[in-house]
Amino acid sequence: MAGGNWTRVEEFILMSFSSLPTEIQLLLFLTFLIIYLVTLMGNTLIILVTLADPMLHSPMYFFLRNLSFMEIGFNLVIVPKMLGTLLAWDTTISFLGCATQMYFFFFFGVAECFLLATMAYDRYVAICSPLHYPVIMNQRTRAKLAVASWLPGFPVATVQTTWLFSFPFCGTNKVNHFFCDSPPVLRLVCADTALFEIYAIVGTILVVMTPCLLILCSYTRIAAAILKIPSAKGKHKAFSTCSSHLLVVSLFYVSSSLTYFRPKSNNSPESKKLLSLSYTVVTPMLNPIIYSLRNNEVKNALGRTFHKALGLRNCIP
């Protein structure tokens, strides 16, 4: 395209679910609005309860609080604009707005990958070294681990977003997605993107597989430790402390892997949109539900918090 003429793109049009009938789009809007509100309320409640209840000041709930912060951020970046496109308020997004949305999508996505690995390590220490757990996972260590989980998002998001938006765009400005994800925006570039695509593939594999391998290593050790416990009750108690995390990890990795690692021949834009909904909209809503319904400590803390809020004196034992 050297020496070619093109108009500088100043805004993009998010196609979202425009191919669907208006009635279906309205139904999707109401559904996603409910999910969005439940997500914000659920994760905010987790943050407030783990801060307010002294029984939930352990490292596990410190990392859970960080996860809830990430899920709220993830939702705020994606869902409000998507809801607007479903009602056709404004399907356009500025060049800077698209770049900003993509930046924070990468940032929160990468940070969540590494935080899930950190949470797996926390469970490994708790189960395999229970006597040393308070010493190993002291306040300073958990703070360092949290920072180490958040930090990788910055360089990955900065390099990928800056590089992609430095390319020239020409022709159509229609992004066939409900948010500014890298693959649909990359299709609008009128330049040689081979090197960028290699970087994106290698970077995605490293970002996804490195935490995944750490999680597998942690749970391999955890499984070996649980099998050595003589009583069935002891095994069940040990497994129950990490079952919620395992379920959250499975939801996140299965949905994101199906989205980004499927063969292109099986990866139509519409199917990718549906898969993207699972980890951008549905999973952030399910995480607080999973941790509250499958965790007696959280359920009891919620009960105590509501009793206090209602001015009752009887606390749940």
Side-chain angles (χ1 to χ4, degrees):
M1 294 298 295
N5 294 320
W6 57 78
T7 304
R8 176 170 162 45
V9 172
E10 295 184 355
E11 66 178 19
F12 296 97
I13 298 173
L14 294 174
M15 299 303 292
S16 191
F17 300 95
S18 58
S19 60
L20 298 175
T22 304
E23 296 79 7
I24 301 297
Q25 290 192 55
L26 180 59
L27 180 61
L28 288 176
F29 170 82
L30 294 173
T31 303
F32 295 149
L33 178 61
I34 293 170
I35 292 175
Y36 177 60
L37 295 175
V38 171
T39 300
L40 292 182
M41 289 188 291
N43 283 288
T44 301
L45 191 59
I46 290 289
I47 292 170
L48 294 176
V49 168
T50 55
L51 282 172
D53 197 296
M55 299 295 291
L56 301 184
H57 286 179
S58 65
M60 174 181 170
Y61 298 107
F62 170 77
F63 295 125
L64 176 58
R65 189 159 60 245
N66 276 265
L67 180 63
S68 290
F69 272 117
M70 288 180 185
E71 301 292 26
I72 290 173
F74 211 73
N75 249 240
L76 290 174
V77 168
I78 304 294
V79 181
K81 185 62 183 177
M82 181 185 68
L83 293 175
T85 60
L86 284 170
L87 281 188
W89 288 334
D90 186 9
T91 58
T92 63
I93 184 169
S94 68
F95 186 89
L96 179 60
C98 188
T100 302
Q101 188 182 56
M102 185 182 293
Y103 179 91
F104 283 104
F105 167 73
F106 284 131
F107 169 70
F108 285 116
V110 172
E112 184 162 343
C113 283
F114 282 92
L115 182 64
L116 290 173
T118 299
M119 294 173 79
Y121 173 71
D122 171 70
R123 292 299 82 210
Y124 158 70
V125 177
I127 293 173
C128 298
S129 304
L131 297 178
H132 299 98
Y133 179 63
V135 178
I136 296 173
M137 299 299 290
N138 55 54
Q139 286 189 344
R140 187 174 180 179
T141 300
R142 72 181 80 161
K144 287 181 178 179
L145 288 171
V147 171
S149 300
W150 285 87
L151 276 180
F154 286 108
V156 173
T158 301
V159 172
Q160 184 126 333
T161 306
T162 305
W163 192 352
L164 177 51
F165 281 87
S166 67
F167 286 121
F169 294 87
C170 59
T172 180
N173 64 340
K174 294 180 179 179
V175 178
N176 194 8
H177 212 331
F178 57 85
F179 73 100
C180 288
D181 196 4
S182 179
V185 174
L186 188 64
R187 294 190 189 103
L188 309 182
V189 172
C190 46
D192 183 7
T193 60
L195 185 60
F196 174 82
E197 291 183 56
I198 293 171
Y199 160 79
I201 292 171
V202 173
T204 302
I205 291 173
L206 287 175
V207 164
V208 172
M209 293 307 298
T210 301
C212 188
L213 289 173
L214 293 173
I215 291 170
L216 286 174
C217 288
S218 295
Y219 276 106
T220 301
R221 297 287 188 89
I222 288 170
I226 290 176
L227 289 174
K228 292 178 182 178
I229 299 174
S231 67
K233 185 178 180 181
K235 289 179 180 177
H236 175 74
K237 184 178 179 180
F239 178 75
S240 65
T241 64
C242 54
S243 59
S244 297
H245 178 257
L246 265 176
L247 188 53
V248 168
V249 167
S250 301
L251 286 171
F252 181 81
Y253 274 100
V254 169
S255 58
S256 57
S257 297
L258 286 174
T259 303
Y260 291 103
F261 294 117
R262 288 199 311 162
K264 286 189 176 181
S265 58
N266 300 328
N267 203 8
S268 69
E270 298 307 316
S271 65
K272 185 173 180 180
K273 289 178 192 178
L274 293 174
L275 287 169
S276 297
L277 285 172
S278 62
Y279 68 88
T280 58
V281 179
V282 179
T283 301
M285 176 195 68
L286 292 177
N287 287 351
I289 296 174
I290 291 169
Y291 271 101
S292 58
L293 292 181
R294 296 180 62 86
N295 190 306
N296 287 328
E297 288 182 337
V298 174
K299 284 192 287 187
N300 291 340
L302 286 170
R304 288 191 293 268
T305 301
F306 283 127
H307 275 67
K308 289 178 182 178
L310 294 172
L312 300 176
R313 297 294 182 182
N314 296 326
C315 295
I316 298 177

